[in-house]
Amino acid sequence: FNSTDQFPWAMIVGAAAQMGDTARTNAYITSIQNKYVSKGFPWPWYNMEAGWFIRVNNYMAGRRPF
């Protein structure tokens, strides 16, 4: 995600995951874990971001379809 935009845009990484871009998807997941998960999900994290983040993690864990 772009560090100049305050929102994490978790739905965008869904496209990267579906396209098979595992390197960028995993880098995104690590970044989100460091910036939001480890800090208790501060704003601007909200339910839509959480839903897409769950979907992406499930997809990367082999639970398909997206």
Side-chain angles (χ1 to χ4, degrees):
F1 71 99
N2 185 337
S3 62
T4 61
D5 187 342
Q6 65 178 343
F7 286 90
W9 292 101
M11 67 177 7
I12 302 301
V13 78
Q18 284 186 302
M19 291 174 58
D21 190 346
T22 57
R24 288 186 181 146
T25 301
N26 287 329
Y28 177 88
I29 289 170
T30 300
S31 176
I32 291 301
Q33 289 173 335
N34 292 334
K35 188 169 183 178
Y36 296 101
V37 177
S38 67
K39 296 179 182 172
F41 303 100
W43 178 257
W45 192 264
Y46 68 108
N47 58 352
M48 190 277 299
E49 304 291 359
W52 275 102
F53 191 60
I54 290 167
R55 289 179 67 141
V56 166
N57 278 282
N58 278 327
Y59 189 81
M60 294 304 287
R63 292 183 212 98
R64 293 169 169 86
F66 204 94

Coordinates of all heavy atoms in Angstrom, one line a residue:
F1 N 0.8 -1.2 0.0 CA 0.0 0.0 0.0 C 0.9 1.2 0.0 O 2.0 1.2 0.3 CB -1.0 0.0 1.2 CG -0.4 0.2 2.5 CD1 -0.4 1.4 3.1 CD2 0.2 -0.9 3.2 CE1 0.1 1.6 4.4 CE2 0.8 -0.7 4.4 CZ 0.7 0.5 5.0
N2 N 0.3 2.4 -0.3 CA 1.0 3.6 -0.5 C 1.1 4.3 0.9 O 0.0 4.6 1.5 CB 0.3 4.5 -1.5 CG 1.0 5.8 -1.7 OD1 1.8 6.2 -0.9 ND2 0.8 6.4 -2.9
S3 N 2.2 4.5 1.4 CA 2.4 5.1 2.7 C 1.9 6.5 2.9 O 1.7 7.0 4.0 CB 3.8 5.0 3.2 OG 4.6 5.8 2.3
T4 N 1.6 7.2 1.7 CA 1.1 8.6 1.8 C -0.5 8.6 2.0 O -1.0 9.6 2.3 CB 1.4 9.4 0.6 OG1 0.8 8.7 -0.6 CG2 2.9 9.5 0.4
D5 N -1.1 7.4 1.8 CA -2.5 7.3 2.0 C -2.7 6.6 3.3 O -2.1 5.6 3.6 CB -3.2 6.5 0.9 CG -4.7 6.4 0.9 OD1 -5.3 6.7 2.0 OD2 -5.3 6.1 -0.1
Q6 N -3.6 7.1 4.2 CA -3.7 6.6 5.5 C -4.5 5.2 5.5 O -4.4 4.5 6.5 CB -4.4 7.6 6.4 CG -5.9 7.9 6.1 CD -6.5 8.8 7.1 OE1 -6.0 9.0 8.2 NE2 -7.6 9.4 6.7
F7 N -5.2 4.9 4.5 CA -6.0 3.7 4.5 C -5.1 2.5 4.0 O -4.4 2.7 3.1 CB -7.3 3.8 3.7 CG -8.3 4.6 4.4 CD1 -8.3 6.0 4.2 CD2 -9.2 4.1 5.3 CE1 -9.3 6.8 4.9 CE2 -10.1 4.8 5.9 CZ -10.2 6.2 5.7
P8 N -5.3 1.3 4.6 CA -4.5 0.2 4.2 C -4.9 -0.5 2.8 O -4.1 -1.2 2.2 CB -4.7 -0.8 5.3 CG -5.9 -0.4 6.0 CD -6.1 1.1 5.8
W9 N -6.1 -0.2 2.3 CA -6.6 -0.8 1.1 C -6.4 -2.3 0.9 O -5.8 -2.8 0.0 CB -5.9 0.0 -0.1 CG -6.3 1.4 -0.2 CD1 -5.7 2.5 0.3 CD2 -7.6 1.9 -0.7 NE1 -6.4 3.6 0.0 CE2 -7.6 3.3 -0.5 CE3 -8.7 1.3 -1.3 CZ2 -8.7 4.1 -0.9 CZ3 -9.8 2.1 -1.6 CH2 -9.7 3.5 -1.5
A10 N -6.9 -3.0 1.9 CA -6.8 -4.4 1.9 C -7.4 -5.1 0.7 O -7.0 -6.2 0.3 CB -7.3 -5.0 3.2
M11 N -8.4 -4.5 0.1 CA -9.1 -5.1 -1.0 C -8.2 -5.2 -2.3 O -8.3 -6.1 -3.1 CB -10.4 -4.4 -1.4 CG -10.2 -3.0 -1.9 SD -11.7 -2.1 -2.5 CE -13.0 -3.0 -2.0
I12 N -7.2 -4.3 -2.4 CA -6.3 -4.2 -3.5 C -5.4 -5.4 -3.5 O -5.1 -6.0 -4.5 CB -5.5 -2.9 -3.5 CG1 -6.4 -1.7 -3.6 CG2 -4.5 -2.9 -4.7 CD1 -7.3 -1.7 -4.8
V13 N -5.0 -5.8 -2.3 CA -4.0 -7.0 -2.2 C -4.8 -8.3 -2.6 O -4.1 -9.2 -3.0 CB -3.4 -7.1 -0.8 CG1 -4.3 -7.7 0.2 CG2 -2.1 -7.9 -0.9
G14 N -6.1 -8.3 -2.6 CA -6.8 -9.4 -3.0 C -6.6 -9.7 -4.5 O -6.4 -10.9 -4.9
A15 N -6.5 -8.7 -5.3 CA -6.2 -8.8 -6.7 C -4.8 -9.4 -6.9 O -4.5 -10.3 -7.7 CB -6.3 -7.5 -7.4
A16 N -3.8 -8.9 -6.1 CA -2.4 -9.4 -6.2 C -2.4 -10.9 -5.9 O -1.7 -11.7 -6.5 CB -1.5 -8.6 -5.3
A17 N -3.1 -11.3 -4.8 CA -3.2 -12.7 -4.4 C -3.8 -13.6 -5.5 O -3.2 -14.6 -5.9 CB -4.0 -12.8 -3.1
Q18 N -4.9 -13.1 -6.1 CA -5.5 -13.9 -7.2 C -4.6 -14.0 -8.5 O -4.7 -15.0 -9.2 CB -6.8 -13.3 -7.6 CG -7.9 -13.6 -6.6 CD -9.2 -13.1 -7.0 OE1 -9.4 -11.9 -7.3 NE2 -10.2 -14.0 -7.1
M19 N -3.8 -13.0 -8.7 CA -2.9 -13.0 -9.8 C -1.6 -13.8 -9.6 O -0.8 -14.0 -10.5 CB -2.5 -11.6 -10.2 CG -3.6 -10.8 -10.7 SD -3.3 -9.0 -11.0 CE -1.9 -9.1 -12.1
G20 N -1.5 -14.4 -8.4 CA -0.4 -15.2 -8.0 C 0.9 -14.4 -7.6 O 2.0 -15.0 -7.6
D21 N 0.7 -13.2 -7.3 CA 1.9 -12.4 -6.9 C 2.1 -12.6 -5.4 O 1.8 -11.7 -4.6 CB 1.6 -10.9 -7.2 CG 2.8 -10.0 -7.0 OD1 3.8 -10.5 -6.4 OD2 2.8 -8.9 -7.5
T22 N 2.6 -13.7 -5.1 CA 2.8 -14.1 -3.7 C 3.8 -13.2 -2.9 O 3.7 -13.0 -1.7 CB 3.2 -15.6 -3.5 OG1 4.4 -15.8 -4.3 CG2 2.1 -16.5 -4.0
A23 N 4.9 -12.8 -3.6 CA 5.9 -12.0 -3.0 C 5.3 -10.7 -2.5 O 5.5 -10.3 -1.3 CB 7.0 -11.7 -3.9
R24 N 4.5 -10.0 -3.3 CA 3.9 -8.7 -2.9 C 2.8 -8.9 -1.9 O 2.6 -8.1 -1.0 CB 3.5 -7.9 -4.1 CG 4.6 -7.4 -4.9 CD 4.2 -6.4 -6.0 NE 5.3 -5.9 -6.7 CZ 5.3 -5.7 -8.0 NH1 4.2 -5.9 -8.7 NH2 6.4 -5.2 -8.6
T25 N 2.0 -10.0 -2.1 CA 1.0 -10.3 -1.1 C 1.5 -10.5 0.2 O 1.0 -10.0 1.2 CB 0.1 -11.5 -1.6 OG1 -0.4 -11.1 -2.9 CG2 -1.0 -11.7 -0.7
N26 N 2.6 -11.4 0.3 CA 3.2 -11.7 1.6 C 3.8 -10.4 2.2 O 3.8 -10.2 3.4 CB 4.2 -12.8 1.5 CG 3.5 -14.1 1.3 OD1 2.4 -14.3 1.8 ND2 4.1 -15.0 0.6
A27 N 4.4 -9.6 1.4 CA 5.0 -8.3 1.9 C 3.9 -7.4 2.5 O 4.1 -6.8 3.5 CB 5.8 -7.6 0.8
Y28 N 2.8 -7.4 1.8 CA 1.6 -6.6 2.3 C 1.1 -7.1 3.6 O 0.9 -6.4 4.5 CB 0.5 -6.6 1.2 CG -0.7 -5.9 1.7 CD1 -0.8 -4.5 1.5 CD2 -1.7 -6.5 2.4 CE1 -1.9 -3.8 1.9 CE2 -2.8 -5.8 2.9 CZ -2.9 -4.5 2.6 OH -4.0 -3.8 3.1
I29 N 1.0 -8.5 3.7 CA 0.5 -9.1 4.9 C 1.4 -8.7 6.1 O 1.0 -8.4 7.2 CB 0.3 -10.6 4.8 CG1 -0.9 -10.9 3.8 CG2 0.1 -11.3 6.1 CD1 -1.0 -12.3 3.4
T30 N 2.7 -8.8 5.9 CA 3.7 -8.5 6.9 C 3.6 -7.0 7.3 O 3.6 -6.7 8.5 CB 5.1 -8.8 6.4 OG1 5.2 -10.2 6.1 CG2 6.2 -8.5 7.5
S31 N 3.4 -6.2 6.3 CA 3.3 -4.8 6.6 C 2.1 -4.4 7.4 O 2.1 -3.7 8.4 CB 3.3 -4.0 5.3 OG 3.1 -2.6 5.5
I32 N 1.0 -5.1 7.1 CA -0.3 -4.9 7.9 C -0.1 -5.4 9.3 O -0.6 -4.8 10.2 CB -1.5 -5.5 7.1 CG1 -1.7 -4.7 5.8 CG2 -2.7 -5.6 8.0 CD1 -2.1 -3.3 6.0
Q33 N 0.5 -6.6 9.4 CA 0.7 -7.1 10.7 C 1.5 -6.1 11.6 O 1.2 -6.0 12.8 CB 1.4 -8.5 10.7 CG 0.5 -9.5 10.1 CD 1.2 -10.9 9.9 OE1 2.4 -10.9 9.6 NE2 0.4 -11.9 9.9
N34 N 2.5 -5.5 11.0 CA 3.4 -4.6 11.8 C 2.7 -3.3 12.1 O 2.8 -2.7 13.2 CB 4.7 -4.3 11.0 CG 5.6 -5.5 11.0 OD1 5.5 -6.4 11.8 ND2 6.4 -5.6 10.0
K35 N 1.9 -2.8 11.1 CA 1.3 -1.4 11.3 C 0.0 -1.4 12.0 O -0.4 -0.5 12.7 CB 1.2 -0.8 9.9 CG 0.7 0.6 9.9 CD 0.8 1.3 8.6 CE 0.5 2.8 8.7 NZ 0.6 3.5 7.4
Y36 N -0.8 -2.5 11.8 CA -2.2 -2.5 12.4 C -2.4 -3.6 13.4 O -2.9 -3.4 14.5 CB -3.2 -2.6 11.3 CG -3.2 -1.4 10.4 CD1 -2.6 -1.4 9.2 CD2 -3.8 -0.2 10.8 CE1 -2.6 -0.3 8.3 CE2 -3.8 0.9 10.0 CZ -3.2 0.9 8.8 OH -3.1 2.0 8.0
V37 N -2.1 -4.9 13.0 CA -2.4 -6.0 13.9 C -1.7 -5.9 15.2 O -2.3 -6.0 16.3 CB -2.1 -7.3 13.2 CG1 -2.3 -8.5 14.1 CG2 -2.8 -7.5 11.9
S38 N -0.4 -5.6 15.2 CA 0.4 -5.6 16.4 C 0.1 -4.4 17.3 O 0.4 -4.4 18.5 CB 1.9 -5.6 16.1 OG 2.2 -4.4 15.5
K39 N -0.7 -3.4 16.8 CA -1.0 -2.2 17.5 C -2.5 -2.2 17.9 O -3.0 -1.1 18.3 CB -0.6 -1.0 16.7 CG 0.9 -0.9 16.5 CD 1.3 0.3 15.8 CE 2.8 0.3 15.6 NZ 3.2 1.3 14.6
G40 N -3.2 -3.3 17.7 CA -4.6 -3.3 18.1 C -5.6 -2.7 17.1 O -6.7 -2.3 17.5
F41 N -5.2 -2.7 15.9 CA -6.0 -2.2 14.8 C -6.5 -0.8 14.9 O -7.7 -0.5 15.0 CB -7.3 -3.2 14.6 CG -6.9 -4.6 14.3 CD1 -6.9 -5.5 15.4 CD2 -6.5 -5.0 13.1 CE1 -6.6 -6.9 15.1 CE2 -6.1 -6.3 12.8 CZ -6.2 -7.3 13.9
P42 N -5.6 0.2 15.0 CA -6.0 1.6 15.1 C -6.6 2.1 13.8 O -6.5 1.5 12.8 CB -4.7 2.3 15.4 CG -3.7 1.4 14.7 CD -4.1 0.0 14.9
W43 N -7.3 3.2 13.9 CA -7.9 3.9 12.8 C -6.8 4.2 11.8 O -5.7 4.6 12.3 CB -8.7 5.1 13.2 CG -9.2 5.9 12.0 CD1 -8.7 7.0 11.5 CD2 -10.3 5.5 11.2 NE1 -9.4 7.4 10.4 CE2 -10.5 6.5 10.2 CE3 -11.3 4.5 11.3 CZ2 -11.5 6.4 9.3 CZ3 -12.3 4.5 10.3 CH2 -12.3 5.4 9.3
P44 N -6.9 4.0 10.6 CA -8.2 3.8 9.8 C -8.6 2.4 9.5 O -9.3 2.1 8.6 CB -7.8 4.6 8.5 CG -6.4 4.3 8.3 CD -5.8 4.3 9.7
W45 N -8.1 1.4 10.3 CA -8.5 0.1 10.2 C -10.0 0.0 10.5 O -10.4 0.5 11.6 CB -7.7 -0.9 11.0 CG -7.9 -2.3 10.7 CD1 -8.7 -3.1 11.3 CD2 -7.2 -3.0 9.7 NE1 -8.7 -4.4 10.8 CE2 -7.8 -4.3 9.8 CE3 -6.3 -2.7 8.8 CZ2 -7.3 -5.4 8.9 CZ3 -5.9 -3.7 7.9 CH2 -6.4 -5.0 8.0
Y46 N -10.8 -0.6 9.7 CA -12.2 -0.8 10.0 C -12.7 -2.1 9.4 O -11.9 -2.9 8.8 CB -13.0 0.4 9.6 CG -13.1 0.6 8.1 CD1 -14.3 0.4 7.4 CD2 -12.1 1.1 7.3 CE1 -14.5 0.5 6.1 CE2 -12.2 1.3 6.0 CZ -13.4 1.0 5.3 OH -13.5 1.2 4.0
N47 N -14.0 -2.4 9.5 CA -14.5 -3.7 9.2 C -14.3 -4.1 7.7 O -14.1 -5.3 7.5 CB -16.0 -3.8 9.5 CG -16.9 -2.8 8.9 OD1 -16.4 -1.9 8.2 ND2 -18.2 -2.9 9.0
M48 N -14.4 -3.2 6.8 CA -14.1 -3.6 5.4 C -12.7 -4.1 5.2 O -12.4 -5.1 4.6 CB -14.4 -2.5 4.4 CG -14.4 -2.9 2.9 SD -12.8 -3.0 2.1 CE -12.2 -1.4 2.2
E49 N -11.7 -3.4 5.8 CA -10.3 -3.7 5.7 C -10.1 -5.1 6.4 O -9.4 -6.0 5.8 CB -9.4 -2.7 6.4 CG -9.6 -1.3 5.9 CD -9.0 -1.1 4.5 OE1 -8.5 -2.0 3.9 OE2 -9.1 0.1 4.1
A50 N -10.8 -5.3 7.5 CA -10.6 -6.6 8.2 C -11.2 -7.7 7.4 O -10.6 -8.8 7.3 CB -11.4 -6.5 9.6
G51 N -12.3 -7.5 6.8 CA -12.9 -8.6 6.0 C -12.0 -9.0 4.8 O -11.8 -10.2 4.5
W52 N -11.5 -8.0 4.1 CA -10.6 -8.3 3.0 C -9.3 -8.9 3.5 O -8.7 -9.8 2.8 CB -10.3 -7.1 2.2 CG -11.4 -6.9 1.1 CD1 -12.4 -6.0 1.2 CD2 -11.5 -7.6 -0.1 NE1 -13.2 -6.2 0.1 CE2 -12.7 -7.1 -0.7 CE3 -10.8 -8.6 -0.7 CZ2 -13.2 -7.6 -1.9 CZ3 -11.3 -9.1 -1.9 CH2 -12.4 -8.6 -2.5
F53 N -8.8 -8.5 4.6 CA -7.5 -9.1 5.2 C -7.8 -10.5 5.5 O -6.9 -11.4 5.2 CB -7.1 -8.2 6.4 CG -5.7 -8.6 6.8 CD1 -4.6 -8.4 6.0 CD2 -5.5 -9.0 8.1 CE1 -3.3 -8.7 6.4 CE2 -4.2 -9.3 8.6 CZ -3.1 -9.2 7.7
I54 N -8.9 -10.9 6.1 CA -9.2 -12.2 6.4 C -9.3 -13.1 5.1 O -8.7 -14.2 5.0 CB -10.5 -12.3 7.2 CG1 -10.4 -11.8 8.6 CG2 -11.1 -13.8 7.2 CD1 -11.7 -11.5 9.3
R55 N -10.0 -12.5 4.1 CA -10.1 -13.2 2.8 C -8.7 -13.5 2.2 O -8.5 -14.6 1.7 CB -10.9 -12.4 1.8 CG -12.4 -12.4 2.2 CD -13.2 -11.6 1.2 NE -13.1 -12.2 -0.1 CZ -14.2 -12.3 -0.9 NH1 -15.3 -11.7 -0.6 NH2 -14.1 -12.9 -2.1
V56 N -7.9 -12.5 2.2 CA -6.5 -12.7 1.6 C -5.7 -13.7 2.4 O -5.1 -14.6 1.8 CB -5.8 -11.3 1.5 CG1 -4.3 -11.5 1.2 CG2 -6.4 -10.4 0.5
N57 N -5.8 -13.7 3.7 CA -5.0 -14.6 4.5 C -5.6 -16.1 4.2 O -4.8 -17.0 4.1 CB -5.1 -14.3 6.0 CG -4.1 -13.2 6.3 OD1 -2.9 -13.6 6.5 ND2 -4.5 -12.0 6.4
N58 N -6.9 -16.2 4.1 CA -7.5 -17.5 3.8 C -7.0 -18.0 2.4 O -6.7 -19.2 2.3 CB -9.0 -17.5 3.9 CG -9.5 -17.6 5.3 OD1 -8.9 -18.3 6.1 ND2 -10.6 -17.0 5.6
Y59 N -7.1 -17.1 1.5 CA -6.7 -17.4 0.1 C -5.2 -17.9 0.1 O -4.9 -18.9 -0.5 CB -6.9 -16.2 -0.8 CG -6.7 -16.5 -2.2 CD1 -7.7 -17.1 -3.0 CD2 -5.5 -16.2 -2.9 CE1 -7.6 -17.4 -4.3 CE2 -5.3 -16.4 -4.3 CZ -6.4 -17.0 -5.0 OH -6.2 -17.3 -6.3
M60 N -4.3 -17.2 0.8 CA -2.9 -17.5 0.8 C -2.7 -18.8 1.5 O -1.7 -19.5 1.3 CB -2.1 -16.4 1.4 CG -2.1 -15.1 0.5 SD -1.6 -15.3 -1.2 CE 0.2 -15.5 -0.9
A61 N -3.6 -19.2 2.4 CA -3.4 -20.4 3.2 C -4.0 -21.6 2.4 O -4.0 -22.7 2.9 CB -4.1 -20.3 4.5
G62 N -4.4 -21.3 1.2 CA -4.9 -22.4 0.3 C -6.4 -22.7 0.4 O -6.9 -23.6 -0.2
R63 N -7.1 -21.8 1.1 CA -8.6 -22.0 1.2 C -9.2 -21.2 0.1 O -9.5 -20.0 0.2 CB -9.1 -21.6 2.5 CG -8.6 -22.5 3.6 CD -9.2 -22.1 5.0 NE -8.3 -22.4 6.0 CZ -7.4 -21.6 6.6 NH1 -7.3 -20.4 6.3 NH2 -6.6 -21.9 7.5
R64 N -9.4 -21.8 -1.1 CA -9.9 -21.1 -2.2 C -11.3 -21.7 -2.5 O -11.6 -22.8 -2.0 CB -9.0 -21.4 -3.4 CG -7.7 -20.6 -3.2 CD -6.7 -21.1 -4.3 NE -5.5 -20.3 -4.3 CZ -4.4 -20.4 -3.6 NH1 -4.4 -21.3 -2.6 NH2 -3.4 -19.6 -3.7
P65 N -12.2 -21.1 -3.2 CA -12.0 -19.9 -4.1 C -12.0 -18.6 -3.3 O -12.5 -18.6 -2.1 CB -13.2 -20.0 -5.0 CG -14.3 -20.6 -4.3 CD -13.6 -21.6 -3.4
F66 N -11.6 -17.6 -3.9 CA -11.5 -16.2 -3.3 C -13.0 -15.8 -3.2 O -13.6 -15.3 -2.6 CB -10.7 -15.3 -4.2 CG -10.2 -14.1 -3.4 CD1 -8.9 -14.2 -2.9 CD2 -11.0 -13.0 -3.2 CE1 -8.4 -13.1 -2.2 CE2 -10.5 -11.9 -2.5 CZ -9.2 -12.0 -2.0

